[in-house]
Amino acid sequence: MLLLVFGLSFLSFFPSLSLSQHFAPTRTKPHHRISVSLNLKQRKQREEKRRMMMKLDTSGLESFSAAVPSAMAAAEDQLFAPPSFDLPAGCADFDKFQMEAKQTLKHAKGTTTLAFIFNQGVIVAADSRASMGGYISSQSVKKIIEINPYMLGTMAGGAADCQFWHRNLGIKCRLHELANKRRISVTGASKLLANILYSYRGMGLSIGTMIAGWDEKGPGLYYVDSEGGRLKGNRFSVGSGSPYAYGVLDNGYRPDMTVEEAHELARRAIYHATFRDGASGGVVSVYHVGPNGWKKLSGDDVSELHYKYYPVQPTPVEHEMVDAPPA
Amino acid sequence: MSIFEYNGSALVAMVGKNCFAIASDRRLGVQLQTVATDFQRVFKIHDRLYIGLSGLATDAQTMYQKLVFRHKLYQLREERDMKPQTFASLVSALLYEKRFGPFFCQPVIAGLGDNDEPFICTMDCLGAKELAKDFVVSGTASESLYGACESMYKPDMEPEELFETISQALLSSVDRDCLSGWGGYVLLVYAALLTPTEVQEKILKGRMD
């Protein structure tokens, strides 16, 4: 629309410029209009010429595919049909293509993260393995993201998605602080993120995150995911190893624990999940969010934890799973 | 995930000086869930011949039972143990019998042949033999294993060094695979000069995640 407006105004300028060139101020003779009188034939010719010039050449846009039902017409169709090209592979059935594209990301929630509220604040813990199908791509991924000094987010699902949107959330929280001269609440921050994720619903984002923090109302914990869900709660675990972590966490949880006990519970829960789940492993990181903000409590290698909890007993070599006695 | 990645496995066999070593991981899983950490994948056929079977665990166990049966029949008829090369042909034939509905397992065969010459070979699930002079690998961690063995292997290693090499290759490879690991099992066989063949079995302490 803008272009059209520009075009019109440009056209209106142009004739005036040309006129002023003709009517130079240093003209000596007075100007008189010359009236041209044409006969009918010349007038008709002039009009034809104008119409020809005015008429746009639309021969390229005409399609001859109308109602001539003959073999010749079919050939003509191919010759004169508007240019076409094959749709790219996968776009013939776009819904199925999009479903398949999302399926390739389905495995991506291979991780274990957990968070719980107790009387001394919030404990947040996660493993550090990134896997692509069966391949371990990294054993040292930071899955607990520091949104700001008193709020943490956990990463499960697509790493890029989580990193980007958590950073984006941090920016929005800071803007809120500057605009309102007070810190944003955990409720508000989780709502901001949930609304953004809801607007991208169905487009293949893969995020299962927990927002944990301490605000004026005390400790806060929300679960937010890329399907647009947002839940408030006291205990959450997200990822492929979450069933195993829930088992240990639910068993050992008490609302009145010391920070040390809560730390050990979280560490134990993640350790058990890494033992049973193939897609979790690496290093257990445990954070504590208190009234003064978050603090990292520990980062233990899971394998070392195993031999600490279950030291090796010297035993003879086992002979299991053998039905027939050896020959 | 494919059927070969349903249970998860890692197998490697290496040749040294008048000795061979065969090693496997110890995990049995159901896709991502670990069900057992003491699963046996390397089986003895006779004193100087061992077979490791990777892939679907049920097919590995069935294949082993069929092979033990066939070898016992052979022993009754021929009154001697099978040579490793003959055994490899037997395994290949048994696998190809099921060409249009195969066993989903990939064997690794290791044995001492005539003159205490170590012999190793591997096959795909249809019985295509691949003889090698240095090392053979199989399982979900096979690509990592190829890389690790290629860089760590030296020809004509003594038994202690061979044991060290194969253990390090196995552990570092399964640490890059979600579906195998949780410990390792190494079996080393060498033909000593005066005593009959010596066999050492060791369980490796690996990452349990």
PDB file of all heavy atoms in Angstrom, chain A residues 217-246:
ATOM      1  N   LYS A 217       6.255 -13.753  49.059  1.00  0.00           N
ATOM      2  CA  LYS A 217       5.337 -14.706  49.702  1.00  0.00           C
ATOM      3  C   LYS A 217       6.059 -15.942  50.207  1.00  0.00           C
ATOM      4  O   LYS A 217       5.424 -16.864  50.705  1.00  0.00           O
ATOM      5  CB  LYS A 217       4.282 -15.147  48.674  1.00  0.00           C
ATOM      6  CG  LYS A 217       3.353 -14.071  48.224  1.00  0.00           C
ATOM      7  CD  LYS A 217       2.016 -14.658  47.764  1.00  0.00           C
ATOM      8  CE  LYS A 217       1.223 -13.620  46.999  1.00  0.00           C
ATOM      9  NZ  LYS A 217       1.285 -13.809  45.548  1.00  0.00           N
ATOM     10  N   GLY A 218       7.363 -15.973  50.046  1.00  0.00           N
ATOM     11  CA  GLY A 218       8.113 -17.146  50.490  1.00  0.00           C
ATOM     12  C   GLY A 218       8.569 -17.968  49.295  1.00  0.00           C
ATOM     13  O   GLY A 218       8.713 -17.458  48.190  1.00  0.00           O
ATOM     14  N   PRO A 219       8.845 -19.274  49.528  1.00  0.00           N
ATOM     15  CA  PRO A 219       9.347 -20.096  48.410  1.00  0.00           C
ATOM     16  C   PRO A 219       8.227 -20.372  47.409  1.00  0.00           C
ATOM     17  O   PRO A 219       7.064 -20.510  47.787  1.00  0.00           O
ATOM     18  CB  PRO A 219       9.792 -21.385  49.095  1.00  0.00           C
ATOM     19  CG  PRO A 219       9.048 -21.427  50.380  1.00  0.00           C
ATOM     20  CD  PRO A 219       8.759 -20.033  50.776  1.00  0.00           C
ATOM     21  N   GLY A 220       8.580 -20.436  46.129  1.00  0.00           N
ATOM     22  CA  GLY A 220       7.585 -20.690  45.088  1.00  0.00           C
ATOM     23  C   GLY A 220       8.141 -21.691  44.085  1.00  0.00           C
ATOM     24  O   GLY A 220       9.337 -21.668  43.761  1.00  0.00           O
ATOM     25  N   LEU A 221       7.277 -22.579  43.588  1.00  0.00           N
ATOM     26  CA  LEU A 221       7.702 -23.597  42.617  1.00  0.00           C
ATOM     27  C   LEU A 221       6.578 -23.820  41.629  1.00  0.00           C
ATOM     28  O   LEU A 221       5.443 -24.096  42.018  1.00  0.00           O
ATOM     29  CB  LEU A 221       8.009 -24.910  43.343  1.00  0.00           C
ATOM     30  CG  LEU A 221       8.412 -26.097  42.476  1.00  0.00           C
ATOM     31  CD1 LEU A 221       9.689 -25.799  41.719  1.00  0.00           C
ATOM     32  CD2 LEU A 221       8.603 -27.339  43.340  1.00  0.00           C
ATOM     33  N   TYR A 222       6.897 -23.664  40.357  1.00  0.00           N
ATOM     34  CA  TYR A 222       5.914 -23.881  39.305  1.00  0.00           C
ATOM     35  C   TYR A 222       6.508 -24.800  38.255  1.00  0.00           C
ATOM     36  O   TYR A 222       7.702 -24.730  37.962  1.00  0.00           O
ATOM     37  CB  TYR A 222       5.526 -22.561  38.625  1.00  0.00           C
ATOM     38  CG  TYR A 222       4.596 -21.718  39.453  1.00  0.00           C
ATOM     39  CD1 TYR A 222       5.091 -20.895  40.455  1.00  0.00           C
ATOM     40  CD2 TYR A 222       3.222 -21.751  39.247  1.00  0.00           C
ATOM     41  CE1 TYR A 222       4.247 -20.133  41.224  1.00  0.00           C
ATOM     42  CE2 TYR A 222       2.369 -20.981  40.011  1.00  0.00           C
ATOM     43  CZ  TYR A 222       2.885 -20.170  41.000  1.00  0.00           C
ATOM     44  OH  TYR A 222       2.050 -19.412  41.760  1.00  0.00           O
ATOM     45  N   TYR A 223       5.651 -25.630  37.655  1.00  0.00           N
ATOM     46  CA  TYR A 223       6.054 -26.469  36.525  1.00  0.00           C
ATOM     47  C   TYR A 223       5.410 -25.879  35.268  1.00  0.00           C
ATOM     48  O   TYR A 223       4.206 -25.640  35.234  1.00  0.00           O
ATOM     49  CB  TYR A 223       5.567 -27.912  36.752  1.00  0.00           C
ATOM     50  CG  TYR A 223       5.600 -28.757  35.502  1.00  0.00           C
ATOM     51  CD1 TYR A 223       6.797 -29.258  35.010  1.00  0.00           C
ATOM     52  CD2 TYR A 223       4.433 -29.041  34.803  1.00  0.00           C
ATOM     53  CE1 TYR A 223       6.826 -30.015  33.861  1.00  0.00           C
ATOM     54  CE2 TYR A 223       4.456 -29.804  33.653  1.00  0.00           C
ATOM     55  CZ  TYR A 223       5.652 -30.280  33.178  1.00  0.00           C
ATOM     56  OH  TYR A 223       5.689 -31.023  32.039  1.00  0.00           O
ATOM     57  N   VAL A 224       6.239 -25.644  34.237  1.00  0.00           N
ATOM     58  CA  VAL A 224       5.731 -25.036  32.995  1.00  0.00           C
ATOM     59  C   VAL A 224       6.218 -25.894  31.838  1.00  0.00           C
ATOM     60  O   VAL A 224       7.392 -26.273  31.808  1.00  0.00           O
ATOM     61  CB  VAL A 224       6.291 -23.599  32.827  1.00  0.00           C
ATOM     62  CG1 VAL A 224       5.811 -22.983  31.536  1.00  0.00           C
ATOM     63  CG2 VAL A 224       5.864 -22.738  33.998  1.00  0.00           C
ATOM     64  N   ASP A 225       5.333 -26.221  30.888  1.00  0.00           N
ATOM     65  CA  ASP A 225       5.830 -27.022  29.763  1.00  0.00           C
ATOM     66  C   ASP A 225       5.391 -26.449  28.419  1.00  0.00           C
ATOM     67  O   ASP A 225       4.577 -25.526  28.349  1.00  0.00           O
ATOM     68  CB  ASP A 225       5.429 -28.493  29.904  1.00  0.00           C
ATOM     69  CG  ASP A 225       3.947 -28.733  29.706  1.00  0.00           C
ATOM     70  OD1 ASP A 225       3.259 -27.876  29.118  1.00  0.00           O
ATOM     71  OD2 ASP A 225       3.468 -29.779  30.154  1.00  0.00           O
ATOM     72  N   SER A 226       5.951 -27.026  27.369  1.00  0.00           N
ATOM     73  CA  SER A 226       5.745 -26.467  26.038  1.00  0.00           C
ATOM     74  C   SER A 226       4.365 -26.773  25.493  1.00  0.00           C
ATOM     75  O   SER A 226       4.018 -26.276  24.424  1.00  0.00           O
ATOM     76  CB  SER A 226       6.803 -26.999  25.078  1.00  0.00           C
ATOM     77  OG  SER A 226       6.847 -28.393  25.176  1.00  0.00           O
ATOM     78  N   GLU A 227       3.579 -27.617  26.172  1.00  0.00           N
ATOM     79  CA  GLU A 227       2.192 -27.802  25.738  1.00  0.00           C
ATOM     80  C   GLU A 227       1.333 -26.652  26.237  1.00  0.00           C
ATOM     81  O   GLU A 227       0.139 -26.588  25.954  1.00  0.00           O
ATOM     82  CB  GLU A 227       1.621 -29.121  26.282  1.00  0.00           C
ATOM     83  CG  GLU A 227       2.501 -30.328  26.015  1.00  0.00           C
ATOM     84  CD  GLU A 227       2.743 -30.531  24.542  1.00  0.00           C
ATOM     85  OE1 GLU A 227       1.755 -30.606  23.808  1.00  0.00           O
ATOM     86  OE2 GLU A 227       3.919 -30.599  24.131  1.00  0.00           O
ATOM     87  N   GLY A 228       1.926 -25.753  27.044  1.00  0.00           N
ATOM     88  CA  GLY A 228       1.176 -24.623  27.587  1.00  0.00           C
ATOM     89  C   GLY A 228       0.679 -24.842  28.996  1.00  0.00           C
ATOM     90  O   GLY A 228      -0.052 -24.022  29.532  1.00  0.00           O
ATOM     91  N   GLY A 229       1.075 -25.966  29.636  1.00  0.00           N
ATOM     92  CA  GLY A 229       0.617 -26.255  30.992  1.00  0.00           C
ATOM     93  C   GLY A 229       1.430 -25.500  32.022  1.00  0.00           C
ATOM     94  O   GLY A 229       2.618 -25.253  31.832  1.00  0.00           O
ATOM     95  N   ARG A 230       0.776 -25.122  33.119  1.00  0.00           N
ATOM     96  CA  ARG A 230       1.468 -24.453  34.223  1.00  0.00           C
ATOM     97  C   ARG A 230       0.834 -24.924  35.499  1.00  0.00           C
ATOM     98  O   ARG A 230      -0.382 -24.792  35.683  1.00  0.00           O
ATOM     99  CB  ARG A 230       1.332 -22.940  34.070  1.00  0.00           C
ATOM    100  CG  ARG A 230       1.850 -22.146  35.255  1.00  0.00           C
ATOM    101  CD  ARG A 230       1.833 -20.664  34.915  1.00  0.00           C
ATOM    102  NE  ARG A 230       2.067 -19.854  36.091  1.00  0.00           N
ATOM    103  CZ  ARG A 230       1.099 -19.349  36.864  1.00  0.00           C
ATOM    104  NH1 ARG A 230      -0.158 -19.564  36.579  1.00  0.00           N
ATOM    105  NH2 ARG A 230       1.411 -18.611  37.923  1.00  0.00           N
ATOM    106  N   LEU A 231       1.667 -25.519  36.378  1.00  0.00           N
ATOM    107  CA  LEU A 231       1.124 -26.091  37.609  1.00  0.00           C
ATOM    108  C   LEU A 231       1.890 -25.560  38.792  1.00  0.00           C
ATOM    109  O   LEU A 231       3.126 -25.492  38.762  1.00  0.00           O
ATOM    110  CB  LEU A 231       1.263 -27.612  37.604  1.00  0.00           C
ATOM    111  CG  LEU A 231       0.517 -28.398  36.537  1.00  0.00           C
ATOM    112  CD1 LEU A 231       0.967 -29.834  36.578  1.00  0.00           C
ATOM    113  CD2 LEU A 231      -0.973 -28.303  36.760  1.00  0.00           C
ATOM    114  N   LYS A 232       1.161 -25.246  39.874  1.00  0.00           N
ATOM    115  CA  LYS A 232       1.827 -24.852  41.115  1.00  0.00           C
ATOM    116  C   LYS A 232       1.902 -26.089  41.980  1.00  0.00           C
ATOM    117  O   LYS A 232       0.953 -26.876  42.032  1.00  0.00           O
ATOM    118  CB  LYS A 232       0.986 -23.775  41.792  1.00  0.00           C
ATOM    119  CG  LYS A 232       1.582 -23.232  43.082  1.00  0.00           C
ATOM    120  CD  LYS A 232       0.738 -22.052  43.566  1.00  0.00           C
ATOM    121  CE  LYS A 232       0.850 -21.840  45.045  1.00  0.00           C
ATOM    122  NZ  LYS A 232       2.138 -21.233  45.406  1.00  0.00           N
ATOM    123  N   GLY A 233       3.010 -26.289  42.684  1.00  0.00           N
ATOM    124  CA  GLY A 233       3.083 -27.486  43.512  1.00  0.00           C
ATOM    125  C   GLY A 233       4.241 -27.441  44.480  1.00  0.00           C
ATOM    126  O   GLY A 233       5.014 -26.475  44.527  1.00  0.00           O
ATOM    127  N   ASN A 234       4.347 -28.531  45.251  1.00  0.00           N
ATOM    128  CA  ASN A 234       5.409 -28.629  46.255  1.00  0.00           C
ATOM    129  C   ASN A 234       6.547 -29.532  45.826  1.00  0.00           C
ATOM    130  O   ASN A 234       7.663 -29.387  46.301  1.00  0.00           O
ATOM    131  CB  ASN A 234       4.838 -29.208  47.550  1.00  0.00           C
ATOM    132  CG  ASN A 234       4.127 -28.154  48.341  1.00  0.00           C
ATOM    133  OD1 ASN A 234       4.414 -26.980  48.179  1.00  0.00           O
ATOM    134  ND2 ASN A 234       3.194 -28.562  49.169  1.00  0.00           N
ATOM    135  N   ARG A 235       6.269 -30.523  44.958  1.00  0.00           N
ATOM    136  CA  ARG A 235       7.301 -31.478  44.538  1.00  0.00           C
ATOM    137  C   ARG A 235       7.086 -31.771  43.074  1.00  0.00           C
ATOM    138  O   ARG A 235       5.976 -32.123  42.676  1.00  0.00           O
ATOM    139  CB  ARG A 235       7.143 -32.836  45.258  1.00  0.00           C
ATOM    140  CG  ARG A 235       7.369 -32.857  46.706  1.00  0.00           C
ATOM    141  CD  ARG A 235       7.709 -34.267  47.159  1.00  0.00           C
ATOM    142  NE  ARG A 235       6.640 -35.238  47.078  1.00  0.00           N
ATOM    143  CZ  ARG A 235       5.649 -35.371  47.942  1.00  0.00           C
ATOM    144  NH1 ARG A 235       5.535 -34.534  48.944  1.00  0.00           N
ATOM    145  NH2 ARG A 235       4.771 -36.332  47.795  1.00  0.00           N
ATOM    146  N   PHE A 236       8.137 -31.635  42.275  1.00  0.00           N
ATOM    147  CA  PHE A 236       8.031 -32.001  40.866  1.00  0.00           C
ATOM    148  C   PHE A 236       9.292 -32.715  40.433  1.00  0.00           C
ATOM    149  O   PHE A 236      10.378 -32.433  40.930  1.00  0.00           O
ATOM    150  CB  PHE A 236       7.877 -30.761  39.976  1.00  0.00           C
ATOM    151  CG  PHE A 236       6.528 -30.121  40.031  1.00  0.00           C
ATOM    152  CD1 PHE A 236       6.372 -28.849  40.555  1.00  0.00           C
ATOM    153  CD2 PHE A 236       5.412 -30.784  39.548  1.00  0.00           C
ATOM    154  CE1 PHE A 236       5.132 -28.252  40.594  1.00  0.00           C
ATOM    155  CE2 PHE A 236       4.178 -30.193  39.594  1.00  0.00           C
ATOM    156  CZ  PHE A 236       4.028 -28.925  40.119  1.00  0.00           C
ATOM    157  N   SER A 237       9.139 -33.620  39.440  1.00  0.00           N
ATOM    158  CA  SER A 237      10.304 -34.191  38.779  1.00  0.00           C
ATOM    159  C   SER A 237       9.968 -34.304  37.300  1.00  0.00           C
ATOM    160  O   SER A 237       8.860 -34.692  36.941  1.00  0.00           O
ATOM    161  CB  SER A 237      10.623 -35.566  39.354  1.00  0.00           C
ATOM    162  OG  SER A 237      11.695 -36.139  38.647  1.00  0.00           O
ATOM    163  N   VAL A 238      10.907 -33.929  36.441  1.00  0.00           N
ATOM    164  CA  VAL A 238      10.624 -33.851  34.999  1.00  0.00           C
ATOM    165  C   VAL A 238      11.695 -34.612  34.241  1.00  0.00           C
ATOM    166  O   VAL A 238      12.876 -34.537  34.581  1.00  0.00           O
ATOM    167  CB  VAL A 238      10.632 -32.384  34.522  1.00  0.00           C
ATOM    168  CG1 VAL A 238      10.315 -32.300  33.049  1.00  0.00           C
ATOM    169  CG2 VAL A 238       9.640 -31.574  35.312  1.00  0.00           C
ATOM    170  N   GLY A 239      11.279 -35.363  33.214  1.00  0.00           N
ATOM    171  CA  GLY A 239      12.243 -36.023  32.346  1.00  0.00           C
ATOM    172  C   GLY A 239      12.014 -37.513  32.289  1.00  0.00           C
ATOM    173  O   GLY A 239      11.134 -38.059  32.960  1.00  0.00           O
ATOM    174  N   SER A 240      12.849 -38.202  31.489  1.00  0.00           N
ATOM    175  CA  SER A 240      12.671 -39.648  31.323  1.00  0.00           C
ATOM    176  C   SER A 240      13.010 -40.393  32.597  1.00  0.00           C
ATOM    177  O   SER A 240      12.533 -41.506  32.828  1.00  0.00           O
ATOM    178  CB  SER A 240      13.548 -40.149  30.172  1.00  0.00           C
ATOM    179  OG  SER A 240      14.891 -39.885  30.463  1.00  0.00           O
ATOM    180  N   GLY A 241      13.847 -39.843  33.454  1.00  0.00           N
ATOM    181  CA  GLY A 241      14.206 -40.508  34.714  1.00  0.00           C
ATOM    182  C   GLY A 241      13.319 -40.109  35.869  1.00  0.00           C
ATOM    183  O   GLY A 241      13.555 -40.509  37.005  1.00  0.00           O
ATOM    184  N   SER A 242      12.261 -39.338  35.579  1.00  0.00           N
ATOM    185  CA  SER A 242      11.443 -38.824  36.689  1.00  0.00           C
ATOM    186  C   SER A 242      10.705 -39.907  37.476  1.00  0.00           C
ATOM    187  O   SER A 242      10.579 -39.762  38.691  1.00  0.00           O
ATOM    188  CB  SER A 242      10.471 -37.754  36.199  1.00  0.00           C
ATOM    189  OG  SER A 242       9.578 -38.284  35.261  1.00  0.00           O
ATOM    190  N   PRO A 243      10.214 -40.993  36.864  1.00  0.00           N
ATOM    191  CA  PRO A 243       9.553 -42.007  37.705  1.00  0.00           C
ATOM    192  C   PRO A 243      10.460 -42.550  38.801  1.00  0.00           C
ATOM    193  O   PRO A 243      10.015 -42.747  39.946  1.00  0.00           O
ATOM    194  CB  PRO A 243       9.186 -43.112  36.725  1.00  0.00           C
ATOM    195  CG  PRO A 243       9.169 -42.484  35.404  1.00  0.00           C
ATOM    196  CD  PRO A 243      10.146 -41.364  35.438  1.00  0.00           C
ATOM    197  N   TYR A 244      11.752 -42.761  38.439  1.00  0.00           N
ATOM    198  CA  TYR A 244      12.674 -43.300  39.438  1.00  0.00           C
ATOM    199  C   TYR A 244      12.960 -42.267  40.515  1.00  0.00           C
ATOM    200  O   TYR A 244      13.025 -42.594  41.715  1.00  0.00           O
ATOM    201  CB  TYR A 244      13.978 -43.740  38.766  1.00  0.00           C
ATOM    202  CG  TYR A 244      13.739 -44.548  37.511  1.00  0.00           C
ATOM    203  CD1 TYR A 244      14.054 -44.047  36.253  1.00  0.00           C
ATOM    204  CD2 TYR A 244      13.204 -45.821  37.578  1.00  0.00           C
ATOM    205  CE1 TYR A 244      13.837 -44.779  35.109  1.00  0.00           C
ATOM    206  CE2 TYR A 244      12.978 -46.556  36.429  1.00  0.00           C
ATOM    207  CZ  TYR A 244      13.291 -46.031  35.201  1.00  0.00           C
ATOM    208  OH  TYR A 244      13.068 -46.754  34.066  1.00  0.00           O
ATOM    209  N   ALA A 245      13.100 -41.009  40.101  1.00  0.00           N
ATOM    210  CA  ALA A 245      13.369 -39.956  41.090  1.00  0.00           C
ATOM    211  C   ALA A 245      12.180 -39.755  42.014  1.00  0.00           C
ATOM    212  O   ALA A 245      12.347 -39.568  43.222  1.00  0.00           O
ATOM    213  CB  ALA A 245      13.717 -38.655  40.368  1.00  0.00           C
ATOM    214  N   TYR A 246      10.961 -39.805  41.439  1.00  0.00           N
ATOM    215  CA  TYR A 246       9.763 -39.651  42.280  1.00  0.00           C
ATOM    216  C   TYR A 246       9.708 -40.724  43.364  1.00  0.00           C
ATOM    217  O   TYR A 246       9.332 -40.456  44.500  1.00  0.00           O
ATOM    218  CB  TYR A 246       8.485 -39.767  41.429  1.00  0.00           C
ATOM    219  CG  TYR A 246       7.955 -38.475  40.888  1.00  0.00           C
ATOM    220  CD1 TYR A 246       7.651 -38.333  39.547  1.00  0.00           C
ATOM    221  CD2 TYR A 246       7.737 -37.384  41.725  1.00  0.00           C
ATOM    222  CE1 TYR A 246       7.158 -37.157  39.041  1.00  0.00           C
ATOM    223  CE2 TYR A 246       7.237 -36.193  41.226  1.00  0.00           C
ATOM    224  CZ  TYR A 246       6.954 -36.094  39.877  1.00  0.00           C
ATOM    225  OH  TYR A 246       6.456 -34.919  39.379  1.00  0.00           O
TER     226      TYR A 246
END
